[in-house]
Amino acid sequence: MKIVVKETEQEASSYVAEIIGTALREKPGLSLSLPTGSTPVHVLEDLVRKHHEEGLSFAKASLFNMDEYLGLGRNHPQGYYHFLDELLYSQVDVDRARTFAPDALDPVPEHAAAAYTKLIQDAGGFDLIFLGIGRDGHICFNMPADSLHPYTHLERLSEKTVADNTRFFDDASEVPTHAITIGLKLVLDSKKIVLLAIGSGKNDIVRELLASESITTQLPASFLRLHDDVTIVLDAAAAAGIELA
Ligand code: GLP
């Protein structure tokens, strides 16, 4: 895994935006999966800036949410599709017919999950997936557990993750406890993987991830070691005190 450390959150985010921008310029029909949460905010801002100032076009790209809270529709203000719509899709030349998320309103979530796996596979998988990481080591919404899922599935969120996510909701009781997320094989099938971790809150999990070469279902991000093209981008706060080879 290639590790890149930048001084500030802004610099780390710009570095990731440049990777995405370069990939899009090289392949306008890029198949790209994007994360949500706090981590991607400055990356998305920089992509919008690149669109306006540098003519970066998303017109031919396919964009995939990696997960969605169960029960939240595309227009729900705390939903993940809405998040990407607001911060990216509505501000660039994306073709909304090529923006995708699991159907979290499907009365049978397993059907929605299977349909999403098929959609991704029919598209040829991802060219690039940009990941955040949870403080418990989850990627997408693949939580630490005794076993992990390869394909899209319904996931019960860890207590730590539910607690972390309350900041996005008015009331703790509104925080969803389940999500539909892509699984580890769909992540690892991506041709290229970029993971961004910023801030001191991610320091412990980044240390744990980089401390060992082993792969464990208790730290889902450790599975990225199975892939040949992974770049982990950190800011100084996330990398603090960690010895990097
Ligand atoms: C969220 C999302 C992930 C994200 C991670 C970290 O719940 N499902 O896509 O990478 O957890 O979130 P944050 O960036 O807010 O710390």
Side-chain angles (χ1 to χ4, degrees):
M1 298 195 295
K2 178 180 170 190
I3 318 287
V4 175
V5 182
K6 297 285 173 186
E7 190 55 33
T8 66
E9 175 179 339
Q10 192 63 55
E11 285 164 332
S13 300
S14 298
Y15 186 87
V16 173
E18 189 51 35
I19 292 175
I20 297 172
T22 301
L24 259 175
R25 285 188 203 98
E26 280 172 7
K27 186 176 179 183
L30 195 76
S31 171
L32 172 65
S33 186
L34 293 168
T36 49
S38 309
T39 305
V41 171
H42 291 308
V43 177
L44 299 176
E45 280 171 6
D46 207 31
L47 288 173
V48 172
R49 185 194 61 74
K50 283 179 189 296
H51 170 68
H52 290 299
E53 294 177 9
E54 300 168 14
L56 183 69
S57 176
F58 295 78
K60 293 183 176 158
S62 295
L63 294 127
F64 295 84
N65 273 80
M66 54 189 62
D67 46 19
E68 183 57 278
Y69 285 125
L70 189 67
L72 303 198
R74 283 196 161 204
N75 296 322
H76 193 288
Q78 268 78 39
Y80 281 166
Y81 181 84
H82 182 265
F83 174 94
L84 289 180
D85 195 11
E86 198 168 67
L87 273 74
L88 185 67
Y89 304 161
S90 61
Q91 302 195 48
V92 297
D93 59 346
V94 154
D95 176 358
R96 277 203 177 69
R98 277 199 287 270
T99 61
F100 307 102
D103 179 5
L105 294 178
D106 192 315
V108 186
E110 291 74 13
H111 289 172
Y116 203 55
T117 294
K118 185 169 182 329
L119 185 81
I120 292 166
Q121 290 180 329
D122 287 351
F126 305 133
D127 294 305
L128 174 61
I129 186 165
F130 161 31
L131 297 165
I133 183 170
R135 288 193 303 133
D136 56 4
H138 74 252
I139 49 174
C140 312
F141 260 140
N142 295 281
M143 298 286 128
D146 290 341
S147 62
L148 299 175
H149 296 259
Y151 299 108
T152 315
H153 59 283
L154 186 65
E155 187 92 14
R156 188 187 176 84
L157 308 184
S158 67
E159 278 177 29
K160 200 175 197 175
T161 298
V162 173
D164 280 351
N165 290 346
T166 52
R167 69 190 193 280
F168 296 114
F169 291 81
D170 293 335
D171 190 306
S173 66
E174 290 173 21
V175 188
T177 54
H178 291 76
I180 298 178
T181 180
I182 64 167
L184 269 297
K185 176 160 169 60
L186 295 176
V187 173
L188 293 172
D189 278 349
S190 179
K191 294 188 184 81
K192 193 176 176 68
I193 301 176
V194 180
L195 183 147
L196 175 64
I198 44 179
S200 56
K202 299 289 168 70
N203 186 238
D204 284 347
I205 194 64
V206 169
R207 178 177 293 106
E208 206 180 320
L209 175 64
L210 299 181
S212 159
E213 285 192 356
S214 64
I215 292 155
T216 164
T217 59
Q218 298 300 334
L219 205 174
S222 66
F223 276 72
L224 298 180
R225 292 191 177 281
L226 294 173
H227 197 280
D228 286 334
D229 190 351
V230 179
T231 304
I232 295 189
V233 184
L234 308 170
D235 70 352
I242 301 174
E243 216 168 294
L244 298 166

